[in-house]
Amino acid sequence: MVEILECRTLVKLLVLCHLIFSVAVSKVEGRIRHYRWDVKYEYKSPDCFKKLVITINGGTPGPKILAQQGDTVVVELKNSLLTENVAIHWHGIRQIGTPWSDGTEGVTQCPILPGDTFIYKFVVDRAGSYLYHAHYGIQREAGLYGSIIVSVPNGVSEPFVYDYDRSIILNDWYHKSTFEQATGLSSIPFVWVGEPQSLLINGRGRFNCSLLATPSLEARVCNMTNPDCSPYILTVIPGKTYRLRIGSLTSLSALSFQIEGHKMTVVEADGHYVEPFEIQNLYIYSGETYSVLIKANQNPSRNYWMTTNVVSRKPATLTGLAILNYYPNYPKKSPPTLPTAGPLWNETAQRLAQSLSLKAHKNFTHTPPLTSDKVIVLLNTQNKIDGVYRWSLNNVSFSLPHTPYLVALKENVNLNRIFDQNPPPENYDFENYDIYGVAENVNATSSNGIYRLRFNSTVDVILQNANTMTVNNSETHPWHLHGHDFWVMGYGTGKFDIKKDVGKYNLVNPIMKNTVPVHPYGWTALRFRADNPGVWAFHCHIESHFYMGMGVVFEEGVEKVGKLPSSVMGCGETKGFHSP
Ligand code: C2O
Ligand code: CU
């Protein structure tokens, strides 16, 4: 207002006036998007099998968060789980200036106790498609997840056009509770979670109840006519273009997604615009999001199948189904065809090719720093520690401390009582490691030590895959970094060659992402700037793999972090502790 009044008196300085006025306008802050969520257990039948699932305000997936770039999202989260803690992570939101709102139990906050209400507050600083999910134990797979859609600021346009915007979350689904699964994963003898019972599209799947022995307790809770498990229906108007925002939050499975008779054009990945390319199958790994455009240009007198199926592991799960309904056909009318089979599960080359074809859009390229200050090679191996199967990086399997790192480091409490002060190894001798041999890893240890990065330095991470403890087997691991987007510098097969492969990095138009796959027997290289003060998890997004130690933690500029809210404290060494 003051500027505007002054302008009136300075009529001659029209140009300057206009300038000041526009600065004043652009300073207008985003809106507050306020959500009140109640998290609790309820009986639901997402795939026709009734079990206890975690709902938000009665639903799984939970409510969609809709915001515009620059808005502040406030989620008032009430934990009504009665006998279980909770924490929610905002996957893909960098939490610039609010690292305590990242929602990572053990890293950025204490868990939220039953009956407590915790307030998450953060700015969504970049348009795009993101996710949220539980980040406590393996609670995500109990159904606590959803999507975050951030639209572009008014007057800003995207490098593609469409008529309607829809979102799809893919998931895999287990009938056993998270408690049974977590117990199995930490017991001797070890009990693996196995393949999922079904695949869900927007929280709906179908388990073939007739597979259960009748009469049995299980058969009694399986009902294929339950409306919870009727397929998701996407209704389209012939001739229109749809933007589908597709995210995956599977516990285990890598997926392929396809729409019968329709090509998809990939335009966005993890909040970044992609140089568009057309595909028939979208390969999507847990923690990734993509926007694809589809045109409703097929014969409008019928409906079409949308399908998702497991890739990379030998599938033991039925294809997940949804219906693409051409208006005005009856929405539930089954397509006249059999659901299309997906690609072969073990076509690793095709998946690698799709990873390689993701490039930054030519008008939205952020060029990476040309060199890095530090290179961390993480050799991904499976091994056993004290008789229990674990995953290790450079022979160290990660475990979470009881006191969150962020609180410990920021408040300078007695650090060596909280976590191992020895950093994990950076220069493991992976060059002499046989990535094709069955892993032995006799000297693997477990630790909660972290990497402390120099603030503003540029860090390269090379994820090197290897054989598991099973002959001729190497898995796909989707790695997710909190608090950052990284440049995807390259992918390769076999062992990373530090002399030759660095020279092949894409320094021109690498896509930026927050989650990236490391393919079987392959490597993936990424680069990021350690410029976001806080403590950030970097881990395999397979729920059981992270639980089994497949992760590391980075600290950067923790001394620059603002005053922590006391709501993130209260556990471990922070008991009764309050920021001065
Ligand atoms: Cu979406 Cu630490 O994860
Ligand atoms: Cu993994």
Side-chain angles (χ1 to χ4, degrees), residues 89-92 102 104 131 133-135 140 249 287 480 482 515 537-539 541 546:
H89 168 57
W90 317 95
H91 178 117
D102 191 47
T104 314
L131 302 161
H133 59 81
H135 215 300
R140 186 178 91 214
L249 280 174
H480 170 61
H482 289 220
T515 307
F538 177 50
H539 61 91
H541 213 262
F546 180 47

Side-chain angles (χ1 to χ4, degrees), residues 518-566:
V518 52
H519 294 288
Y521 299 111
W523 56 266
T524 301
L526 49 100
R527 177 169 290 178
F528 68 96
R529 285 287 295 273
D531 57 1
N532 189 10
V535 187
W536 308 109
F538 177 50
H539 61 91
C540 174
H541 213 262
I542 291 178
E543 191 84 315
S544 47
H545 287 186
F546 180 47
Y547 190 75
M548 292 159 72
M550 203 167 204
V552 296
V553 166
F554 297 124
E555 175 273 328
E556 69 212 40
V558 76
E559 64 289 342
K560 295 183 170 58
V561 169
K563 185 175 181 291
L564 299 180
S566 58

Side-chain angles (χ1 to χ4, degrees), residues 342-356:
L344 286 179
W345 69 271
N346 52 0
E347 273 280 8
T348 309
Q350 261 183 37
R351 297 202 304 279
L352 175 63
Q354 192 166 104
S355 297
L356 284 166

